[in-house]
Amino acid sequence: MHIPHKGLTGFQVCAIVTLSVIGISVMFIPQRATHSSGVDGVLVTFIAGILSIVLAGMIILVSNQFPNKTIIEYSRQILGKHLGFMYDAIFVVYTLLASSYVLRGFADVIKIVLLPRTPLEVIMISMLLLILYCVQGGIAVIARICELFIIPILLVIFFTMFFNISEVELYRYRDTLSNGFDPILKGVTSVTISYLGYEILFFLIPFMYNKKKALISGLAGMISPIIVYTGLVFLSIGIIGALPTSELIYPTIHLARQIGVQFIERFDIFFIVFWILAVFTNLIVYIYMAAISLTRILHLRNYKPFISILIPVCYIIAILPQNVVQINLLADMVNYGGIFIVLSSVPLLALALLRKKGGRGSA
Amino acid sequence: MRIIKRDRKSKNPKNYEIIKERRNSHLPSEKQVNTDLSDKVEENLKKFCAFLKESSDMVFRKFKLGNNGIKCALLFVDGLVDKTVVNENILKPLMSGVIEFEIKEERKVQPEEAYEFVLNHAVYVGEMMEVDNLDEAMLRLLSGEVVLIIDGFRKLLVIGARGWSMRSISDPETEGVIRGAKEGFTETLRVNTALLRRKCRDPNMVIKTIRLGRRSKTDIAYIYIKGITNPVLLKEVEERLQSVDIDQIISSGHLEQLIQDNTMTPIPQIQATERPDKAISNLMEGRIIILVDNSPFALIIPTTFTQFFQSPEDYNERWIVTSFIRSLRWVASFLAVFTPAVYVAVLTYHPGLIPTRLALSIAATREGVPFPSIIEAFLMEITIELLRESGARLPTSIGQTIGIVGGIIIGDAAVNAGLTSPIMVIIVSLTAIASFVIPTYSAAIALRTMRFPFMILAAVLGLYGVIIGFILINIHLVSIKSFGIDFMTPQAPTLFQDLKDFVIRAPARKMRKRPLQAYPIDMIRMDMD
């Protein structure tokens, strides 16, 4: 008999991964892709996606070596006590910074598009209270929220993309690869950052019901972000042009605004409303990661009290940056941290296999 | 195999053993009397009289059996027994039949054999049992059975002759269907169980009865199908029923609140139905039905959110039509909750969202309205709730008048008086109509209640507030459980197999397996090859 109650199902893992990847980056991806590599952005996005899938696979492979442990526990087993502790500390700091960054970026978009006269504090605090309530329910509630929201979110994004296709002007792509492969190499790093979010896979495996499905569902969760991102970059270049795209802050909103549905004058507001759901899932995943890694570092079981501690910290970090320069500083920290953590899966896997500390049997 | 996680926290924390003990203990009034039975008719009668002599509906009939003059007494409650049965099938054979027998056989019935004789030859009633305990006899007497006391024996005969005037089986008013059975449950438990038996002759259908209520001693029947219902679920239901310790069970709605998982929510976690066909098809999906005596509503356990959008009608019509109607209901549920909130949000914060011409015409109609749109919306929504509530409690004829007065006069007059805009009237009527599309009353009323907090959120934070409320409700819905089953199955956690009976109802031939929601132990519903 099929018993989905005992843990996360494959579809839930897939939904969590998809939504934590799409989350906030869906707003910036065309800008990032075109900023560093211009017209080649489409190719770059696709290649970065493939790279991310590989990295996600690495993370799952490492975690599969220790099927009942999260990264916090097995990193010490692989790296030793002190190095492991440092690694875990980086993890906590990164997740906290990432959630603050997402929160700030989200609040900025809401302020610009939806509520120009509402203070940032109100937007952030209302969102954080909601997150506090949700994360209290644990990974089960997070997973169910994700699988509930993934369909409408993807539908709206695909709807936006579909109604823009007719506007694409193919001549805008004619410069593709005209500068050789240099811009591609340059762009891949910065676009790979946009795919961040699949670090959650470090934590999901121990909660899964059928651990054999981990690899396939984790990778399946990466497929729709690749389609969405590549599609959005393709459309932005085709409709807006590579150079203008790289100068817009939120090119995706611009795309959504293009759509003239008869009964909704400004489709971008409609799009933002659904995007809030995506950011919310993104945020609960990050806050949950921060809370659970902090708890596990301290060798405690109950992570719920930590959420109430982490949420004010997250708020303070998010509200601190005064201008775009400072926000970009925060973004850089998050990006380097994320890249470090995602790339660390490769040496971790190598070390785990070399030191033979893992192995399905012993863990 | 613990499939269903038992939520210890949500249950009544009392110790079951203590509760059981207390339930069996006597009420204060019973303690003054020694409840052991004696072998004298008078003494036994006195014991019954100690409790019942002040009540005017009690009948104590003393008579003598046969030519030996064995003293007997017949006790029953006037109004709860079938008088014809008592007179023709009990009293007549006992009084004259015995004497005829003695004349024919040419011997007298001796006092020692009186009991056996009565049991075997003298009562023409199918249902009969012996009781050697005063409490049990008292309870049966008060539930409408006839008690026969025979001199010289320490036991009583309890004869089933229940018969009282009851409402006949009628059309279920709260869940009407066009093409389907037109019978609904009534107030009598036996009639209700019979309605279920008539629809399913499976010997595995078990109807178990327990009594709840320390004073009311209400019969509660829980029904399941052995071999389909999950034993873990059954155990959970039994434990929860036994943990109820209260003096009276008013109705099934009352019992529902005593055994449900979460109290702090407007959303019902147990579905009530008036329809035997709905009850039986839920039994076949591995759920458990609870019937409460004196209540025409059966409880379906466990319930998931999708069930509120299902009607027995759905299975009588073709699947394409049904799927269309199902999706209509889901749309209606969103309309019922969100329309006024979105209207307020759009008008207050994002007028750019609506097409310019519509925005202009809305602005033109709102020209004379002195209130901000949130006040306007609140006024109208409260008015329509008042109309609904007043109509619901009134006789049908006056109820219609209320509809006309409310719908036409208030709506039209309010617009003419400049209190509200015509668009607002449309919005409010749309909300009301949409909320009535949802087949389950208790779910519809829960959704209707929710739109007020949504309107406040919309007034404060615009569409952002509405979406915050939407997320909040979703978190709440995925967190709550019904008897250990996640309330939002099959959406979250997604059970792909159960999506066949979700928004789209698959063709009947495609639904070969039972839905997984209640974790039935036998999955196969139909073999096709």
Side-chain angles (χ1 to χ4, degrees), chain A residues 1-6 11-12 106 110 114-115 118 122-123 126-127 130 133-134 141 144-145 147-149 262-266 269-270 273 276-277 280, chain B residues 3 230 349-350 352-356 461 463-464 467-468 470-472 474-476 478-479 481 484-486 488 491-496 516 519-520:
Chain A
M1 196 172 125
H2 171 60
I3 308 163
H5 269 85
K6 281 193 165 171
F11 181 64
Q12 283 176 332
F106 159 75
I110 294 296
L114 279 183
L115 300 165
T118 308
V122 175
I123 300 171
S126 51
M127 194 43 134
L130 208 59
Y133 176 46
C134 184
V141 167
R144 283 182 222 142
I145 282 288
E147 65 184 328
L148 210 56
F149 287 168
Q262 284 301 309
F263 54 92
I264 301 173
E265 191 78 0
R266 281 182 62 191
I269 293 180
F270 190 75
V273 163
I276 295 173
L277 301 181
F280 172 73
Chain B
I3 302 135
N230 195 310
Y349 288 88
H350 326 283
L353 195 59
I354 35 182
T356 322
L461 286 172
L463 274 182
Y464 177 61
I467 211 81
I468 287 245
F470 176 71
I471 296 175
L472 188 69
N474 275 299
I475 299 171
H476 180 64
V478 297
S479 310
K481 287 172 192 278
I485 308 282
D486 293 313
M488 281 304 264
Q491 298 112 291
T494 312
L495 303 177
F496 289 100
L516 249 174
Y519 298 102

Coordinates of all heavy atoms in Angstrom, one line a residue, chain A residues 1-6 11-12 106 110 114-115 118 122-123 126-127 130 133-134 141 144-145 147-149 262-266 269-270 273 276-277 280, chain B residues 3 230 349-350 352-356 461 463-464 467-468 470-472 474-476 478-479 481 484-486 488 491-496 516 519-520:
Chain A
M1 N 0.8 -1.2 0.0 CA 0.0 0.0 0.0 C 0.9 1.3 0.0 O 1.9 1.3 0.7 CB -0.9 0.0 1.3 CG -2.0 0.9 1.2 SD -3.1 0.7 2.6 CE -3.1 2.3 3.3
H2 N 0.4 2.2 -0.8 CA 1.2 3.4 -0.9 C 0.9 4.3 0.3 O -0.2 4.7 0.6 CB 0.7 4.1 -2.2 CG 1.2 5.5 -2.4 ND1 2.5 5.7 -2.5 CD2 0.6 6.6 -2.5 CE1 2.7 7.1 -2.7 NE2 1.5 7.6 -2.7
I3 N 1.9 4.7 1.0 CA 1.7 5.5 2.3 C 2.5 6.8 2.2 O 3.7 6.9 2.5 CB 2.2 4.7 3.5 CG1 1.6 3.3 3.5 CG2 1.8 5.5 4.8 CD1 2.3 2.4 4.4
P4 N 1.9 7.8 1.7 CA 2.6 9.1 1.6 C 2.8 9.9 2.9 O 3.4 10.9 2.9 CB 1.7 9.9 0.6 CG 0.4 9.3 0.7 CD 0.5 8.0 1.4
H5 N 2.2 9.4 4.0 CA 2.3 10.1 5.2 C 3.6 10.1 5.9 O 3.9 11.0 6.6 CB 1.3 9.6 6.2 CG 0.0 10.3 6.0 ND1 -1.0 10.0 5.1 CD2 -0.5 11.4 6.7 CE1 -2.0 10.8 5.2 NE2 -1.7 11.7 6.1
K6 N 4.4 9.1 5.5 CA 5.6 8.9 6.3 C 6.7 9.9 6.0 O 7.7 10.0 6.7 CB 6.1 7.5 6.1 CG 5.3 6.5 7.0 CD 6.0 5.2 7.0 CE 5.5 4.3 8.1 NZ 6.0 2.9 7.9
F11 N 7.0 14.1 -5.6 CA 6.4 15.3 -6.2 C 6.6 16.5 -5.3 O 6.9 17.6 -5.8 CB 4.9 15.1 -6.5 CG 4.2 16.3 -7.1 CD1 4.6 16.7 -8.4 CD2 3.3 17.0 -6.4 CE1 4.0 17.8 -8.9 CE2 2.6 18.1 -7.0 CZ 3.0 18.5 -8.2
Q12 N 6.6 16.2 -4.0 CA 6.8 17.3 -3.0 C 8.2 17.8 -3.1 O 8.4 19.1 -3.2 CB 6.5 16.9 -1.6 CG 5.0 16.8 -1.3 CD 4.7 16.3 0.0 OE1 5.4 15.5 0.6 NE2 3.5 16.6 0.6
F106 N 12.1 41.2 -2.6 CA 10.6 41.1 -2.7 C 9.9 42.4 -2.3 O 9.1 42.9 -3.0 CB 10.2 39.9 -1.8 CG 8.8 39.9 -1.5 CD1 7.8 39.5 -2.4 CD2 8.4 40.3 -0.2 CE1 6.5 39.5 -2.0 CE2 7.1 40.3 0.2 CZ 6.1 39.9 -0.8
I110 N 7.4 44.8 -4.5 CA 6.0 45.1 -4.0 C 5.8 46.6 -3.9 O 4.8 47.2 -4.3 CB 5.7 44.4 -2.7 CG1 5.8 42.9 -2.9 CG2 4.4 44.8 -2.1 CD1 4.7 42.3 -3.8
L114 N 3.2 47.4 -6.5 CA 1.8 47.3 -5.9 C 1.5 48.4 -4.9 O 0.4 49.0 -5.0 CB 1.7 45.9 -5.2 CG 1.4 44.7 -6.0 CD1 1.2 43.5 -5.1 CD2 0.1 44.9 -6.8
L115 N 2.4 48.7 -4.0 CA 2.1 49.6 -2.9 C 3.1 50.7 -2.8 O 3.9 50.7 -1.9 CB 2.0 48.8 -1.6 CG 1.0 47.6 -1.5 CD1 1.3 46.7 -0.4 CD2 -0.4 48.1 -1.4
T118 N 3.2 52.4 0.8 CA 3.3 51.7 2.0 C 4.8 51.5 2.4 O 5.6 51.2 1.5 CB 2.7 50.3 1.8 OG1 1.4 50.4 1.2 CG2 2.6 49.5 3.1
V122 N 6.2 47.5 6.7 CA 4.9 46.9 6.8 C 4.9 45.6 5.9 O 4.5 44.6 6.3 CB 3.8 47.8 6.4 CG1 2.5 47.1 6.3 CG2 3.8 49.0 7.3
I123 N 5.4 45.8 4.7 CA 5.5 44.7 3.7 C 6.3 43.6 4.3 O 5.9 42.4 4.3 CB 6.0 45.2 2.4 CG1 5.2 46.3 1.8 CG2 6.1 44.0 1.4 CD1 5.7 47.0 0.6
S126 N 4.7 41.9 7.6 CA 3.5 41.0 7.3 C 4.0 39.7 6.7 O 3.4 38.7 7.0 CB 2.5 41.8 6.4 OG 3.2 42.3 5.3
M127 N 4.9 39.8 5.8 CA 5.4 38.6 5.2 C 6.1 37.7 6.2 O 5.9 36.5 6.2 CB 6.4 39.0 4.0 CG 6.7 37.9 3.1 SD 5.3 36.9 2.6 CE 5.4 36.8 0.9
L130 N 3.8 35.8 8.4 CA 3.2 34.7 7.7 C 4.2 33.5 7.6 O 3.8 32.3 7.8 CB 2.9 35.1 6.2 CG 1.8 34.5 5.5 CD1 0.5 34.6 6.3 CD2 1.6 35.1 4.1
Y133 N 4.4 31.7 10.9 CA 3.2 30.7 11.1 C 3.5 29.5 10.2 O 3.2 28.3 10.7 CB 1.9 31.4 10.7 CG 0.7 30.6 10.7 CD1 0.5 29.7 11.8 CD2 -0.2 30.6 9.6 CE1 -0.7 28.9 11.8 CE2 -1.3 29.8 9.7 CZ -1.5 29.0 10.8 OH -2.7 28.2 10.8
C134 N 3.9 29.6 9.0 CA 4.1 28.5 8.1 C 5.2 27.6 8.6 O 5.0 26.3 8.6 CB 4.3 28.9 6.7 SG 4.3 27.6 5.5
V141 N 4.3 20.8 6.2 CA 3.5 21.9 5.8 C 4.2 22.7 4.7 O 3.5 23.1 3.7 CB 3.2 22.9 7.0 CG1 2.6 24.2 6.5 CG2 2.2 22.2 8.0
R144 N 3.7 20.8 1.5 CA 2.3 20.8 1.0 C 2.0 22.2 0.4 O 1.3 22.3 -0.6 CB 1.3 20.5 2.1 CG 1.3 19.0 2.4 CD 0.3 18.7 3.5 NE 0.9 17.7 4.4 CZ 0.7 17.8 5.7 NH1 -0.1 18.7 6.2 NH2 1.2 16.8 6.4
I145 N 2.5 23.2 1.0 CA 2.3 24.6 0.5 C 2.9 24.6 -0.9 O 2.3 25.1 -1.9 CB 2.8 25.6 1.4 CG1 1.9 25.9 2.6 CG2 3.1 26.9 0.7 CD1 0.7 26.6 2.3
E147 N 3.5 22.2 -3.1 CA 2.9 21.5 -4.1 C 1.5 22.0 -4.4 O 1.0 21.9 -5.5 CB 2.7 20.0 -3.8 CG 1.9 19.6 -2.6 CD 2.0 18.1 -2.3 OE1 2.1 17.3 -3.3 OE2 1.9 17.7 -1.2
L148 N 1.0 22.8 -3.5 CA -0.3 23.5 -3.7 C -0.1 24.7 -4.7 O -1.0 24.9 -5.5 CB -0.9 24.0 -2.4 CG -2.4 24.0 -2.2 CD1 -3.0 22.7 -2.5 CD2 -2.7 24.5 -0.8
F149 N 1.0 25.4 -4.5 CA 1.2 26.6 -5.2 C 1.9 26.4 -6.6 O 1.8 27.3 -7.4 CB 2.0 27.6 -4.4 CG 1.3 28.2 -3.2 CD1 1.9 28.9 -2.2 CD2 -0.1 28.1 -3.2 CE1 1.2 29.5 -1.2 CE2 -0.8 28.6 -2.1 CZ -0.2 29.3 -1.1
Q262 N -8.0 41.2 -22.4 CA -9.2 42.1 -22.5 C -9.6 42.6 -21.1 O -10.0 43.8 -21.0 CB -10.3 41.4 -23.2 CG -10.1 41.4 -24.7 CD -9.9 42.7 -25.4 OE1 -10.6 43.6 -25.1 NE2 -8.8 42.9 -26.1
F263 N -9.7 41.7 -20.1 CA -10.3 42.1 -18.9 C -9.3 42.6 -17.8 O -9.7 43.0 -16.8 CB -11.2 41.0 -18.3 CG -10.5 39.7 -18.2 CD1 -9.8 39.3 -17.0 CD2 -10.4 38.8 -19.2 CE1 -9.2 38.2 -16.9 CE2 -9.7 37.6 -19.1 CZ -9.1 37.3 -17.9
I264 N -8.0 42.4 -18.1 CA -7.0 42.9 -17.2 C -6.2 43.9 -17.9 O -5.4 43.5 -18.8 CB -6.2 41.8 -16.5 CG1 -7.1 40.8 -15.8 CG2 -5.2 42.3 -15.6 CD1 -6.4 39.6 -15.3
E265 N -6.2 45.1 -17.5 CA -5.5 46.1 -18.2 C -4.0 46.0 -18.0 O -3.2 46.0 -18.9 CB -5.9 47.5 -17.8 CG -5.4 48.7 -18.6 CD -6.2 48.8 -19.9 OE1 -7.1 48.0 -20.2 OE2 -5.9 49.7 -20.7
R266 N -3.6 45.8 -16.7 CA -2.2 45.7 -16.5 C -1.9 44.3 -16.0 O -2.1 43.9 -14.8 CB -1.8 46.7 -15.4 CG -1.6 48.1 -16.0 CD -1.1 49.0 -15.0 NE 0.2 48.7 -14.4 CZ 0.7 49.2 -13.3 NH1 0.0 50.1 -12.7 NH2 1.8 48.9 -12.9
I269 N 0.5 43.4 -12.7 CA 0.0 43.3 -11.4 C -0.5 41.9 -11.1 O -0.1 41.3 -10.0 CB -1.1 44.3 -11.1 CG1 -0.5 45.7 -11.2 CG2 -1.7 44.1 -9.8 CD1 -1.5 46.8 -11.0
F270 N -1.2 41.4 -12.0 CA -1.7 40.0 -11.9 C -0.5 39.0 -11.7 O -0.5 38.1 -10.9 CB -2.5 39.7 -13.2 CG -3.2 38.4 -13.1 CD1 -4.4 38.3 -12.3 CD2 -2.8 37.3 -13.8 CE1 -5.1 37.2 -12.3 CE2 -3.5 36.1 -13.8 CZ -4.7 36.1 -13.0
V273 N 1.1 39.2 -8.3 CA 0.3 38.6 -7.3 C 0.7 37.1 -7.2 O 0.9 36.6 -6.1 CB -1.2 38.8 -7.6 CG1 -2.0 37.8 -6.8 CG2 -1.6 40.2 -7.3
I276 N 4.2 36.6 -5.8 CA 4.3 36.6 -4.3 C 4.2 35.2 -3.7 O 5.0 34.9 -2.8 CB 3.1 37.5 -3.7 CG1 3.2 38.9 -4.1 CG2 3.1 37.4 -2.2 CD1 2.1 39.8 -3.7
L277 N 3.4 34.4 -4.3 CA 3.3 33.0 -3.8 C 4.7 32.3 -4.0 O 5.2 31.6 -3.1 CB 2.3 32.2 -4.6 CG 0.8 32.7 -4.6 CD1 0.0 31.8 -5.4 CD2 0.3 32.7 -3.2
F280 N 7.1 33.6 -1.5 CA 6.8 33.1 -0.2 C 7.4 31.7 0.0 O 8.0 31.4 1.0 CB 5.3 33.1 0.0 CG 4.8 32.4 1.3 CD1 5.0 33.0 2.5 CD2 4.2 31.2 1.2 CE1 4.6 32.4 3.6 CE2 3.9 30.5 2.3 CZ 4.1 31.1 3.6
Chain B
I3 N -0.5 3.8 9.8 CA -0.6 4.6 8.6 C -1.0 6.0 9.0 O -0.5 7.0 8.6 CB -1.6 4.0 7.6 CG1 -1.1 2.6 7.3 CG2 -1.7 4.9 6.4 CD1 -2.2 1.7 7.3
N230 N -10.0 1.1 7.1 CA -8.7 0.9 7.7 C -8.8 0.7 9.2 O -9.5 1.5 9.9 CB -7.8 2.1 7.4 CG -6.4 1.8 7.7 OD1 -6.0 1.3 8.8 ND2 -5.5 2.1 6.7
Y349 N -6.5 50.6 -4.4 CA -5.1 50.6 -4.6 C -4.6 50.5 -6.1 O -3.6 51.1 -6.5 CB -4.4 49.5 -3.8 CG -4.4 49.7 -2.4 CD1 -5.4 49.3 -1.6 CD2 -3.3 50.4 -1.8 CE1 -5.4 49.5 -0.2 CE2 -3.3 50.6 -0.4 CZ -4.3 50.2 0.4 OH -4.3 50.4 1.7
H350 N -5.3 49.7 -6.9 CA -4.8 49.4 -8.2 C -5.9 49.6 -9.3 O -6.3 48.7 -10.0 CB -4.3 47.9 -8.3 CG -3.7 47.4 -7.1 ND1 -2.5 47.8 -6.7 CD2 -4.2 46.6 -6.1 CE1 -2.2 47.2 -5.5 NE2 -3.3 46.4 -5.2
G352 N -5.5 50.8 -12.0 CA -4.9 50.5 -13.3 C -5.2 49.1 -13.8 O -5.0 48.8 -14.9
L353 N -5.6 48.2 -12.9 CA -5.7 46.8 -13.2 C -6.9 46.6 -14.2 O -6.9 45.7 -15.0 CB -5.9 46.0 -12.0 CG -5.7 44.5 -12.1 CD1 -4.3 44.1 -12.6 CD2 -5.9 43.8 -10.7
I354 N -7.9 47.4 -14.0 CA -9.1 47.2 -14.8 C -9.0 48.0 -16.1 O -8.4 49.1 -16.1 CB -10.4 47.4 -14.0 CG1 -10.2 48.6 -13.1 CG2 -10.9 46.2 -13.3 CD1 -11.4 48.9 -12.2
P355 N -9.7 47.6 -17.1 CA -9.7 48.4 -18.4 C -10.2 49.8 -18.2 O -11.1 50.0 -17.4 CB -10.6 47.6 -19.3 CG -10.7 46.2 -18.8 CD -10.4 46.3 -17.3
T356 N -9.6 50.7 -18.9 CA -9.9 52.1 -18.6 C -11.4 52.4 -18.7 O -11.9 53.1 -17.9 CB -9.1 53.0 -19.7 OG1 -7.9 52.4 -19.9 CG2 -9.0 54.4 -19.2
L461 N -4.0 46.5 2.8 CA -2.8 46.3 2.0 C -3.1 46.0 0.5 O -2.2 45.6 -0.2 CB -2.0 45.1 2.6 CG -1.2 45.3 3.9 CD1 -0.7 44.0 4.4 CD2 -0.1 46.3 3.6
L463 N -4.1 44.4 -3.0 CA -4.0 43.0 -3.5 C -2.9 42.2 -2.7 O -3.0 41.0 -2.5 CB -3.6 43.0 -5.0 CG -4.8 43.1 -5.9 CD1 -4.3 43.0 -7.4 CD2 -5.8 42.0 -5.7
Y464 N -1.9 42.9 -2.2 CA -0.9 42.2 -1.4 C -1.5 41.6 -0.2 O -1.3 40.5 0.2 CB 0.2 43.2 -1.0 CG 1.3 42.6 -0.1 CD1 2.1 41.6 -0.5 CD2 1.5 43.2 1.1 CE1 3.0 41.1 0.3 CE2 2.5 42.7 2.0 CZ 3.2 41.6 1.5 OH 4.2 41.1 2.4
I467 N -3.5 38.5 -1.1 CA -2.7 37.3 -1.3 C -2.1 36.8 0.0 O -2.0 35.6 0.2 CB -1.7 37.6 -2.4 CG1 -1.4 36.3 -3.2 CG2 -0.4 38.1 -1.9 CD1 -2.3 36.0 -4.3
I468 N -1.8 37.7 0.9 CA -1.4 37.3 2.2 C -2.4 36.5 2.9 O -2.2 35.4 3.5 CB -1.1 38.6 3.1 CG1 0.2 39.2 2.6 CG2 -1.0 38.2 4.6 CD1 1.3 39.2 3.5
F470 N -4.8 34.8 1.4 CA -4.9 33.6 0.6 C -3.8 32.6 1.1 O -4.1 31.4 1.3 CB -4.7 33.9 -0.9 CG -4.7 32.7 -1.7 CD1 -5.9 31.9 -1.9 CD2 -3.5 32.2 -2.3 CE1 -5.8 30.8 -2.8 CE2 -3.5 31.1 -3.1 CZ -4.7 30.4 -3.3
I471 N -2.6 33.1 1.3 CA -1.5 32.2 1.7 C -1.8 31.7 3.1 O -1.7 30.5 3.4 CB -0.2 32.9 1.7 CG1 0.2 33.3 0.3 CG2 0.9 32.0 2.3 CD1 1.5 34.1 0.2
L472 N -2.3 32.6 4.0 CA -2.6 32.2 5.4 C -3.7 31.1 5.4 O -3.5 30.1 6.1 CB -3.2 33.5 6.1 CG -3.4 33.4 7.6 CD1 -2.1 33.3 8.3 CD2 -4.2 34.5 8.1
N474 N -4.3 29.0 3.1 CA -3.7 27.7 2.6 C -2.9 27.1 3.6 O -2.9 25.8 3.7 CB -3.0 28.0 1.3 CG -3.9 28.0 0.1 OD1 -4.5 27.0 -0.2 ND2 -4.0 29.1 -0.6
I475 N -2.1 27.8 4.3 CA -1.2 27.2 5.4 C -2.2 26.6 6.4 O -1.9 25.4 6.8 CB -0.4 28.3 6.1 CG1 0.6 29.0 5.1 CG2 0.4 27.7 7.2 CD1 1.3 30.2 5.7
H476 N -3.2 27.3 6.7 CA -4.1 26.7 7.7 C -4.8 25.4 7.2 O -4.8 24.4 7.9 CB -5.2 27.7 8.0 CG -6.2 27.2 9.0 ND1 -5.9 26.9 10.3 CD2 -7.5 26.9 8.9 CE1 -6.9 26.5 11.0 NE2 -7.9 26.5 10.1
V478 N -3.6 23.3 4.9 CA -2.8 22.1 4.8 C -2.3 21.7 6.2 O -1.8 20.5 6.3 CB -1.5 22.4 3.9 CG1 -1.9 22.6 2.5 CG2 -0.6 23.4 4.5
S479 N -2.5 22.5 7.2 CA -2.0 22.1 8.6 C -3.1 21.2 9.3 O -2.7 20.4 10.1 CB -1.8 23.3 9.4 OG -0.9 24.2 8.8
K481 N -6.1 18.5 10.1 CA -6.3 17.1 9.8 C -7.7 16.7 10.2 O -8.3 17.4 11.0 CB -5.3 16.2 10.6 CG -3.9 16.3 10.1 CD -3.0 15.6 11.0 CE -1.6 15.9 10.7 NZ -1.0 15.1 9.6
G484 N -6.6 12.4 11.6 CA -5.3 12.0 11.2 C -5.0 12.0 9.7 O -3.9 11.9 9.2
I485 N -6.1 12.3 8.9 CA -5.9 12.4 7.5 C -5.7 13.9 7.1 O -6.5 14.7 7.6 CB -7.1 11.9 6.7 CG1 -7.5 10.5 7.2 CG2 -6.9 11.9 5.2 CD1 -6.7 9.4 6.7
D486 N -4.7 14.2 6.3 CA -4.5 15.5 5.9 C -5.7 16.1 5.2 O -6.2 15.5 4.3 CB -3.2 15.7 5.1 CG -2.0 15.3 5.8 OD1 -1.9 15.8 7.0 OD2 -1.2 14.5 5.4
M488 N -6.2 18.5 3.2 CA -6.1 19.0 1.8 C -5.8 17.8 0.8 O -5.6 18.1 -0.4 CB -5.1 20.1 1.6 CG -5.6 21.4 2.1 SD -7.1 21.9 1.3 CE -6.5 23.0 0.0
Q491 N -5.0 17.3 -3.0 CA -4.1 18.3 -3.6 C -2.8 18.3 -2.9 O -1.7 18.3 -3.5 CB -4.8 19.7 -3.5 CG -6.1 19.9 -4.2 CD -7.1 20.0 -3.2 OE1 -7.5 19.1 -2.5 NE2 -7.7 21.2 -3.2
A492 N -2.8 18.4 -1.6 CA -1.5 18.4 -0.8 C -1.7 17.6 0.5 O -2.5 18.1 1.3 CB -1.2 19.9 -0.5
P493 N -1.0 16.5 0.6 CA -0.2 15.9 -0.3 C -0.9 15.3 -1.5 O -2.0 14.8 -1.4 CB 0.4 14.7 0.5 CG -0.6 14.5 1.7 CD -1.1 15.8 1.9
T494 N -0.3 15.5 -2.6 CA -0.9 15.1 -3.9 C -1.0 13.6 -4.0 O 0.0 12.9 -3.9 CB -0.1 15.6 -5.1 OG1 0.2 17.0 -4.8 CG2 -0.9 15.5 -6.4
L495 N -2.2 13.1 -4.2 CA -2.4 11.7 -4.5 C -2.9 11.7 -5.9 O -4.1 12.0 -6.2 CB -3.4 11.1 -3.5 CG -3.1 11.2 -2.0 CD1 -4.3 10.6 -1.2 CD2 -1.8 10.5 -1.7
F496 N -2.0 11.3 -6.8 CA -2.4 11.4 -8.2 C -3.6 10.6 -8.6 O -4.4 10.9 -9.4 CB -1.2 11.1 -9.1 CG -0.1 12.1 -9.0 CD1 1.0 11.9 -8.2 CD2 -0.3 13.3 -9.8 CE1 1.9 12.9 -8.1 CE2 0.7 14.3 -9.7 CZ 1.8 14.1 -8.9
L516 N -7.7 7.1 -2.3 CA -6.8 6.7 -1.3 C -7.0 7.5 0.0 O -6.4 7.2 1.0 CB -5.4 7.0 -1.8 CG -4.5 5.8 -2.1 CD1 -3.2 6.3 -2.7 CD2 -4.2 5.1 -0.8
Y519 N -7.4 5.8 3.1 CA -6.5 4.6 3.2 C -7.2 3.3 3.4 O -7.1 2.6 4.4 CB -5.5 4.8 4.4 CG -4.6 6.0 4.1 CD1 -4.8 7.2 4.7 CD2 -3.7 5.9 3.1 CE1 -4.1 8.3 4.3 CE2 -2.9 7.1 2.7 CZ -3.2 8.2 3.4 OH -2.5 9.3 3.0
P520 N -8.1 3.0 2.5 CA -8.8 1.7 2.6 C -7.8 0.5 2.4 O -6.8 0.7 1.8 CB -9.8 1.7 1.4 CG -9.3 2.7 0.5 CD -8.5 3.7 1.3

